[in-house]
């Protein structure tokens, strides 16, 4: 079908054509497993600078080329410190993927 895009695969991650994301800094909350980790890997495969926040990263840490940050998104101080570390390493966050889940209302933390 004309105009339809079919990504090429490399291993288990779809490799997309250059779409202007390579100059971006994405921060993914809940980035250590499941959908969050899939987003982290897909963004990294596209050449995006990636920071990922999770409560636990385990002994191995984050995927290669990803800044793994340990924080609970319900802890305002820990979240602010994680955003500061991400900004210090990769520059301003230009894309936020809020994949983490919580049950209580939290305050807005500017980044």
């Amino acid at each position: 079908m004309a105009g339809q895009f079919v990504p090429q695969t490399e291993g288990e991650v779809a490799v997309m054509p250059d779409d202007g994301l390579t100059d971006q800094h994405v921060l993914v909350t809940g980035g250590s497993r499941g959908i969050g980790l899939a987003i982290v890997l897909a963004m990294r495969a596209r050449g995006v600078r990636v920071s990922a926040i999770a409560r636990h990263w385990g002994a191995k840490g984050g995927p290669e080329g990803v800044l793994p940050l340990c924080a609970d998104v319900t802890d305002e101080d820990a979240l602010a410190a994680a955003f500061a570390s991400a900004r210090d390493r990769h520059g301003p966050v230009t894309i936020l993927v809020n994949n983490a889940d919580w049950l209580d209302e939290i305050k807005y933390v500017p980044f």
Side-chain angles (χ1 to χ4, degrees), residues 28-41 52 97 99:
V28 181
T29 65
S32 66
R33 59 192 174 117
I35 293 170
L37 180 57
I39 293 167
V40 164
L41 295 174
V97 178
N99 178 65

Side-chain angles (χ1 to χ4, degrees), residues 2 20 25-26 64 72 74 77 99 111:
H25 173 200
V26 64
E64 184 176 337
D72 184 327
T74 65
D77 293 334
N99 178 65
F111 55 94

Side-chain angles (χ1 to χ4, degrees), residues 49-63:
R49 297 183 314 266
V50 179
S51 301
I53 296 175
R55 286 182 293 165
H56 308 287
W57 278 101
K60 291 173 60 176

Side-chain angles (χ1 to χ4, degrees), residues 62-97:
E64 184 176 337
V66 173
L67 177 61
L69 301 161
C70 288
D72 184 327
V73 297
T74 65
D75 181 335
E76 184 176 332
D77 293 334
L79 192 57
F83 268 86
S85 294
R87 187 177 49 245
D88 291 346
R89 175 78 171 273
H90 292 305
V93 173
T94 55
I95 301 170
L96 172 64
V97 178

